[in-house]
């Protein structure tokens, strides 16, 4: 049975992250958004708070916490700025999470302490220009050459593709469409032949860097292979199971941010001599937003609880991600409607929530892919 009562430790984490976001992030969000600046210094500070290695055991300089604490941290950051929540989640769930889940002890000792403290920023490379949902058609290859592998190809839409110090990269080592023909490698930034490419000019999440990673005869030692050669795709699907919980948390935070702004504005904004919250059209919008957010929260924390218990979260993670991301888009859209003309202005907060929210229905598997995952799980059961 899932308990949704926050214990003292979680309440402290929530308040700590909330205070940090208000003081260190909120004053700068529109400057970063307009300039598309990736504020690395903020993530260094998050590292000092233990938020860049939330799930990593203390022996690797991590916080040794669980998914519930992780969800709360992402949610609080995302209430203020989705970009910061997204980058924090990608660093933790994908790059760091992949090494934690599938690295051997030597590899964990080598990379996790630097990632957990944000001395190093991590990236994770699965997507390519022509292979998003269809990852088995990836064209990035790795060929064996003695005790090294030679990587060639490019990855697209990679969070921290330019600024990361280390990346987990999925490359094809077998035949096309072979689920056992993809391998995961850890590639450090100073590796010859590894470079960042084009930075995407995005609709939203503009302070979270998204770019290409390019590999040109990049030589990677065999001790940088994660797990067994050929197991990379299977590993990636397991990493995405947990990662989708973090996107649900991101969605939840953005939705709550949009709702809180709307609730406050509706009480202050007057039309026809009274606050607009007194009009049923606005009150019903708030009721719909709040109900969907509550449902999304329950699904997200249920998935987090299962993950903490070591249970399979394929279906629950997909459900949480699917519902929370769609609820997030709904909440942001209704928020802009409640703000009216002011909502269309960058001087008010919901314009940014509206632009940021849509990524949640696309990243780490589109809503359509989530429905595919859920339906397959149901039919299998």
């Amino acid at each position: 049975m899932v308990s949704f009562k926050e214990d003292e430790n979680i309440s402290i984490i929530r308040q700590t992250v909330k205070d940090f976001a208000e003081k260190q992030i909120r004053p700068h969000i529109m400057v970063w958004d307009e300039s598309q600046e990736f504020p690395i210094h903020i993530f260094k500070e998050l590292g000092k708070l233990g938020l860049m290695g939330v799930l990593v055991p203390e022996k690797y300089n991590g916080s040794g916490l669980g998914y519930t604490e992780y969800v709360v941290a992402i949610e609080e950051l995302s209430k203020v700025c989705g970009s910061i929540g997204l980058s924090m989640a990608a660093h933790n769930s994908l790059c760091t999470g992949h090494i934690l889940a599938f690295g051997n002890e030597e590899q964990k000792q080598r990379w996790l302490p630097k990632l957990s403290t944000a001395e190093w920023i991590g990236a994770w490379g699965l997507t390519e220009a022509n292979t998003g949902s269809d990852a088995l058609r990836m064209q990035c290859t790795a060929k064996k050459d003695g005790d090294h592998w030679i990587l060639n190809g490019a990855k697209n839409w990679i969070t921290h593709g330019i600024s990361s110090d280390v990346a987990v990269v999925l490359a094809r080592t077998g035949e096309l469409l072979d689920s056992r023909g993809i391998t995961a490698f850890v590639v450090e930034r100073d590796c010859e032949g590894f470079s960042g490419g084009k930075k995407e000019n995005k609709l939203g999440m503009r302070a979270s860097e998204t770019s290409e990673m390019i590999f040109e005869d990049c030589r990677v030692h065999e001790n940088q292979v994660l797990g067994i050669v050929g197991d990379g795709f299977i590993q990636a699907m397991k990493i995405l199971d947990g990662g989708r919980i973090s996107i649900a948390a991101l969605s939840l935070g953005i939705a709550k941010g949009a709702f809180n702004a709307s609730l406050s504005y509706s009480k202050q904004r007057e039309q026809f001599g009274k606050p607009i919250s007194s009009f049923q059209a606005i009150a019903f919008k708030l009721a719909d937003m709040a109900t969907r957010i509550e449902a999304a929260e329950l699904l997200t924390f249920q998935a987090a609880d299962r993950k903490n218990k070591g249970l399979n979260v394929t279906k629950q993670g997909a459900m949480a991600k699917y519902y929370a991301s769609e609820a997030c888009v709904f909440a942001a859209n209704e928020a802009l409607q409640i703000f009216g003309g002011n909502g269309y202005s960058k001087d008010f907060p919901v314009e940014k929530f509206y632009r940021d929210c849509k990524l949640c229905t696309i990243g780490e598997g589109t809503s359509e892919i989530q429905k595919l995952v859920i339906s397959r799980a149901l039919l299998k059961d």
Side-chain angles (χ1 to χ4, degrees):
M1 188 71 179
V2 184
S3 173
F4 295 102
K5 180 175 169 44
E6 289 192 4
D7 61 28
E8 184 179 3
N9 187 48
I10 292 174
S11 295
I12 291 172
I13 291 170
R14 186 182 290 280
Q15 191 61 50
T16 299
V17 179
K18 181 178 181 179
D19 291 343
F20 178 88
E22 289 295 333
K23 294 175 184 175
Q24 303 296 326
I25 299 174
R26 190 180 293 281
H28 312 289
I29 56 175
M30 291 312 295
V31 173
W32 297 337
D33 184 80
E34 291 287 335
S35 64
Q36 296 199 74
E37 176 186 350
F38 175 52
I40 291 182
H41 67 283
I42 287 295
F43 297 95
K44 302 294 184 182
E45 293 301 315
L46 288 173
K48 293 176 184 177
L49 289 176
L51 295 177
M52 297 298 273
V54 178
L55 305 168
V56 177
E58 293 180 26
K59 70 175 182 175
Y60 305 119
N61 291 349
S63 297
L65 299 173
Y67 257 76
T68 304
E69 291 88 347
Y70 182 40
V71 163
V72 165
I74 296 172
E75 178 193 326
E76 289 300 325
L77 289 174
S78 304
K79 283 180 184 177
V80 175
C81 181
S83 293
I84 304 302
L86 173 63
S87 276
M88 180 269 208
H91 174 95
N92 275 278
S93 287
L94 301 179
C95 179
T96 305
H98 200 141
I99 295 170
L100 178 62
F102 296 103
N104 58 37
E105 186 59 29
E106 180 183 340
Q107 291 169 332
K108 290 176 183 179
Q109 292 285 357
R110 179 175 175 179
W111 291 302
L112 289 181
K114 291 181 178 180
L115 287 165
S116 297
T117 57
E119 179 183 345
W120 280 13
I121 300 296
W124 193 74
L126 176 65
T127 303
E128 298 180 4
N130 296 310
T131 58
S133 301
D134 189 12
L136 286 177
R137 293 184 190 273
M138 71 171 56
Q139 298 299 308
C140 184
T141 60
K143 305 290 186 184
K144 194 78 163 69
D145 181 27
D147 58 359
H148 284 76
W149 290 84
I150 313 299
L151 273 64
N152 279 289
K155 296 292 178 178
N156 294 66
W157 288 97
I158 307 305
T159 306
H160 317 144
I162 295 171
S163 298
S164 59
D165 301 282
V166 63
V168 173
V169 181
L170 285 300
R172 186 158 55 83
T173 51
E175 297 299 317
L176 198 68
L177 301 179
D178 180 6
S179 63
R180 295 284 181 178
I182 293 172
T183 301
F185 300 87
V186 183
V187 188
E188 296 181 7
R189 178 59 62 177
D190 61 3
C191 185
E192 186 176 352
F194 175 29
S195 61
K198 174 193 173 187
K199 180 177 178 178
E200 299 294 340
N201 185 9
K202 299 176 297 182
L203 168 72
M205 301 291 195
R206 289 166 61 84
S208 177
E209 179 187 276
T210 306
S211 67
E212 291 178 306
M213 292 194 302
I214 299 170
F215 303 92
E216 299 174 296
D217 293 329
C218 179
R219 292 180 64 83
V220 179
H221 196 272
E222 60 187 6
N223 65 14
Q224 290 170 246
V225 172
L226 286 176
I228 299 170
V229 171
D231 272 4
F233 180 77
I234 311 318
Q235 294 173 11
M237 294 304 103
K238 291 179 180 177
I239 293 302
L240 287 173
D241 279 349
R244 285 166 181 156
I245 300 173
S246 71
I247 301 301
L250 172 68
S251 304
L252 186 61
I254 293 172
K256 285 188 176 183
F259 172 78
N260 291 340
S262 300
L263 183 63
S264 177
Y265 182 80
S266 71
K267 293 176 180 178
Q268 297 168 13
R269 172 72 167 172
E270 290 191 359
Q271 291 287 276
F272 307 103
K274 49 173 97 165
I276 62 172
S277 59
S278 65
F279 298 112
Q280 191 178 76
I282 300 300
F284 277 14
K285 286 184 183 297
L286 293 168
D288 284 338
M289 292 163 74
T291 302
R292 295 193 193 200
I293 289 169
E294 190 98 355
E297 186 168 40
L298 291 170
L299 281 169
T300 303
F301 279 94
Q302 174 184 257
D305 182 70
R306 286 184 63 87
K307 186 69 174 173
N308 282 337
K309 292 173 179 175
L311 301 174
N312 184 285
V313 294
T314 300
K315 181 177 73 175
Q316 286 77 13
M319 283 181 167
K321 196 270 188 190
Y322 168 51
Y323 189 86
S325 64
E326 294 291 344
C328 174
V329 171
F330 176 84
N333 185 65
E334 291 293 77
L336 196 142
Q337 199 70 17
I338 289 170
F339 272 72
N342 286 335
Y344 210 66
S345 167
K346 290 183 183 291
D347 292 333
F348 290 83
V350 297
E351 178 271 345
K352 183 174 182 296
F353 286 129
Y354 187 77
R355 287 186 292 107
D356 285 349
C357 72
K358 191 57 191 169
L359 184 277
C360 298
T361 68
I362 299 169
E364 294 200 37
T366 63
S367 291
E368 291 73 20
I369 287 293
Q370 303 315 309
K371 287 193 270 190
L372 184 64
V373 171
I374 295 163
S375 61
R376 283 178 175 174
L378 293 172
L379 293 170
K380 183 179 178 181
D381 289 343

